[in-house]
Amino acid sequence: TYDISTYKSVSIIGFGKASSKAAQALETILGDKLTGGIVLDKDPLMCKRVTVYQGSHPQPSTQNVDVSEKIATFAKGLTEEDLAIVVVSGGGSSLLCWPQSECDQGARLYNDFLGAGGSINELNILRKHLSGMKGGGLAKLLHPAHVVGLILCDVPGEHYDVVASGPTYYDATTIEDAEKLLEVYGITESFDFIETPKDQSLFASVTNVPVVSNRIALDAMTQTASSWGYSVISL
């Protein structure tokens, strides 16, 4: 629970294919208590107080990098007197792409990994180590602001920290883990991996809240179908 009257500002940062719709809902809830913010979406819906940008998916683009830099600048401008609500949704790994070197390498990585047979979890480990935002990078930029991550999870298995490659989550994986994955899948192309933030204090004021997931959707469908008299098997 947060008393938003105690904060100098209340803003929204969002990315992914559900981010602008979520921002619209948050605007309705918060009203004039919302200061503003930035959202990056594939198919954006306009908001009143939050600036919404369109980006590309599934491949990152220069537009994605430009808007992600705006998000980085915005995040670094917040202080411990500010509250940031971060909407994290599927597709965010491609949309939230910064710096430019991540965009350049991320496109090559996506193409190399697409036919290798690995999981989205493994791909996102690699993505985290190319990025200044993923794997807790955004949390580092937002520090010391108070952060609420609202996670809309499209990854099977309730892996909330994998959505958009975990920009508000502490990442325990290392550069060595990323390099091992390249070996496992026979990817010989070289990448300039960087380490994700390992200082736990950067995450002291971050609270990540699972909002929705595939499991929640399956449970809702099961309940509804059962109420109609169907015998349900949920795979």
Side-chain angles (χ1 to χ4, degrees), residues 204-218:
S205 297
V206 178
T207 301
N208 288 302
V209 182
V211 175
V212 69
S213 70
N214 288 353
R215 170 55 55 193
I216 292 171
L218 288 171

Side-chain angles (χ1 to χ4, degrees), residues 94-111:
S94 296
L95 288 160
L96 190 70
C97 188
W98 181 81
Q100 181 66 47
S101 60
E102 181 197 350
C103 183
D104 297 337
Q105 294 185 91
R108 291 193 287 112
L109 174 64
Y110 185 84
N111 290 328

Side-chain angles (χ1 to χ4, degrees), residues 35-59:
T35 309
I38 302 176
V39 163
L40 176 57
D41 201 331
K42 179 187 176 185
D43 298 305
L45 303 172
M46 292 301 102
C47 295
K48 294 178 181 179
R49 293 176 178 268
V50 177
T51 304
V52 182
Y53 294 92
Q54 183 173 23
S56 65
H57 177 277
Q59 290 281 32

